[in-house]
Amino acid sequence: NYDMVHYGHSNQLRQAKAMGDYLIVGVHSDEEIAKHKGPPVFTQPERYKMVRAIKWVDEIVEGAPYVTTLETLEKYNCDFCVHGDDITLTVDGKDTYEEVKRMDRYRECKRTQGVSTTDLVGRMLLMTKAHHSNIVSVFYQQHTDNFGKGPKGHSPWTGVSQFLQTSQKIIQFASGKEPQTADTIIYVAGAFDLFHIGHVDFLETVYKQADRPYVIVGLHFDQEVNRYKGKNYPIMNVHERTLSVLACRYVSEVVIGAPYTVGKDLLDHFKVDLVCHGKTEVFPDKDGSDPYAVPKKRGIFHTVDSGNGLTTDDIVQRIIENRLQYEARNQKKEAKEMAVIEAMKKREEKTQEQESLHSV
């Protein structure tokens, strides 16, 4: 459904693309998601745009059916479909990929360790309370420990885990493209936390500033982000933010841990032609200076308006408002997954019983 698109989804799409030549991604409508999972946080147009912005995607199907049938594969001329190695169930508890699996038109890609929508929502819930006082944070510890765990044990698919960055992952996500002589090198900097549709609109606007853009995104380290964003920001650490930004089709390169002040050294090193910033407030550096003083003096600083004022704060608010529905949904999802695991166990036990009867 690609509701809260994160780097785990991007990684899934990257793997899917590597299995073939042309990647078509089906994205469900709001109505379809509400029916199976509860109301989505992001609207159809937002979700469609978000998936289109992922660089491995060749085409999207808007309002794709919840159950992928052979008929759907034939309609879009697809040889096979790809899904993660978690179970997706219909309202009545059936495997949504039963038919295509039977006909050998199904492939599986690995889940990305350390990230899931449930986990990210957990981090946000944590943040909204934990920063108010230290007393609450004890309650919080308990809350995270319980997050994504049902009343009876916890599902292996919905637990909270930690992301581990590797150089391999960065290589898989990186474009590997060097800037060409005719390219306009554009530099932007920020937190790009919880990479969202506001970021996509901004980067697309930046990309359109030149005929041959080479967009470099400078990502600030977590500590720096916390200095100017406060609370418990960033929600995603610098490793997660790196992959999130690299997955975007408008981005050519990422500086991991960029200096807050855009100075002479950075501009000269990357031969920057243009420095862009959105409509959001520019916080001064630790010493009170303007981080964009040098590019402004060089006459290469440009404020762009993407027409989308959405910030990470807004996203967190939206998700918190949806929180009760989320928590209810997570409990329900847990119960459904646990039931499937139980059924699988029973089936296995039965098979073993029969086998041991035969061998007697």
Side-chain angles (χ1 to χ4, degrees):
N1 59 37
Y2 299 108
D3 187 14
M4 250 183 74
V5 178
H6 51 69
Y7 65 93
H9 295 126
S10 304
N11 191 37
Q12 215 171 2
L13 295 170
R14 177 190 67 77
Q15 292 176 66
K17 172 76 180 207
M19 293 178 192
D21 308 304
Y22 191 84
L23 178 62
I24 300 176
V25 182
V27 186
H28 309 314
S29 67
D30 290 349
E31 195 185 354
E32 191 82 334
I33 293 174
K35 196 166 81 188
H36 292 270
K37 288 195 159 188
V41 178
F42 296 97
T43 63
Q44 266 157 229
E46 287 175 323
R47 291 182 295 106
Y48 296 156
K49 193 169 202 172
M50 200 68 200
V51 176
R52 278 197 178 98
I54 296 170
K55 64 181 175 186
W56 297 286
V57 176
D58 293 301
E59 190 185 319
I60 81 159
V61 170
E62 300 186 357
Y66 195 76
V67 177
T68 304
T69 58
L70 276 176
E71 194 188 344
T72 307
L73 293 186
E74 296 302 339
K75 183 178 174 184
Y76 298 103
N77 199 13
C78 295
D79 295 304
F80 56 87
C81 64
V82 182
H83 191 259
D85 53 8
D86 53 330
I87 301 178
T88 50
L89 307 169
T90 56
V91 178
D92 47 13
K94 277 205 189 79
D95 179 351
T96 48
Y97 289 92
E98 198 177 19
E99 186 191 10
V100 286
K101 278 179 180 173
R102 207 175 49 239
M103 303 304 289
D104 195 31
R105 301 277 291 273
Y106 174 87
R107 305 279 183 279
E108 215 160 66
C109 58
K110 289 190 198 62
R111 284 198 64 126
T112 309
Q113 268 321 108
V115 67
S116 69
T117 304
T118 312
D119 165 46
L120 290 173
V121 173
R123 296 191 212 178
M124 285 173 236
L125 292 176
L126 219 83
M127 185 193 81
T128 48
K129 293 194 185 155
H131 73 267
H132 290 305
S133 81
N134 286 333
I135 310 160
V136 202
S137 58
V138 182
F139 158 75
Y140 260 107
Q141 203 37 58
Q142 291 164 345
H143 184 80
T144 21
D145 292 346
N146 298 330
F147 200 84
K149 290 184 184 155
K152 299 187 176 67
H154 66 104
S155 152
W157 292 296
T158 326
V160 175
S161 54
Q162 295 297 307
F163 173 68
L164 298 169
Q165 182 74 289
T166 59
S167 54
Q168 186 55 32
K169 209 22 84 277
I170 294 177
I171 289 168
Q172 287 168 342
F173 272 63
S175 72
K177 284 201 283 280
E178 299 267 324
Q180 302 303 300
T181 327
D183 291 353
T184 300
I185 297 168
I186 310 174
Y187 182 76
V188 300
F192 292 89
D193 192 17
L194 276 183
F195 196 74
H196 56 72
I197 192 72
H199 295 135
V200 168
D201 282 336
F202 167 68
L203 290 168
E204 184 183 10
T205 309
V206 167
Y207 186 83
K208 287 178 173 165
Q209 300 300 305
D211 291 334
R212 293 196 44 179
Y214 186 92
V215 178
I216 302 174
V217 175
L219 285 181
H220 302 137
F221 278 134
D222 300 347
Q223 216 178 342
E224 192 74 75
V225 174
N226 188 258
R227 179 183 68 82
Y228 63 85
K229 291 275 290 185
K231 298 183 190 168
N232 279 26
Y233 283 115
I235 288 168
M236 282 188 170
N237 69 35
V238 73
H239 302 306
E240 299 177 290
R241 294 184 284 119
T242 298
L243 296 186
S244 307
V245 172
L246 281 173
C248 179
R249 64 171 70 248
Y250 306 116
V251 176
S252 298
E253 184 59 291
V254 167
V255 180
I256 306 166
Y260 190 70
T261 288
V262 183
K264 176 185 181 305
D265 291 350
L266 184 141
L267 296 174
D268 295 346
H269 176 79
F270 291 111
K271 302 186 171 59
V272 175
D273 299 302
L274 192 62
V275 176
C276 294
H277 192 273
K279 290 284 194 184
T280 55
E281 185 188 350
V282 176
F283 294 92
D285 204 344
K286 291 184 202 66
D287 60 4
S289 63
D290 176 1
Y292 292 110
V294 179
K296 280 176 185 171
K297 204 170 132 195
R298 288 190 182 185
I300 60 168
F301 182 78
H302 190 47
T303 303
V304 300
D305 185 1
S306 67
N308 185 343
L310 204 64
T311 65
T312 301
D313 263 326
D314 300 329
I315 300 276
V316 172
Q317 278 322 110
R318 261 204 214 188
I319 286 161
I320 299 307
E321 279 163 28
N322 227 0
R323 161 196 179 162
L324 294 168
Q325 290 152 317
Y326 254 99
E327 292 206 325
R329 184 194 90 186
N330 287 336
Q331 299 272 301
K332 222 157 101 187
K333 190 174 160 195
E334 279 291 332
K336 241 199 294 190
E337 286 174 358
M338 294 309 285
V340 171
I341 291 165
E342 271 314 300
M344 281 171 159
K345 258 194 210 147
K346 280 204 178 100
R347 205 179 306 158
E348 230 167 80
E349 282 163 12
K350 212 171 178 180
T351 319
Q352 280 168 349
E353 239 171 71
Q354 285 165 343
E355 278 170 3
S356 59
L357 282 173
H358 285 309
S359 60
V360 165

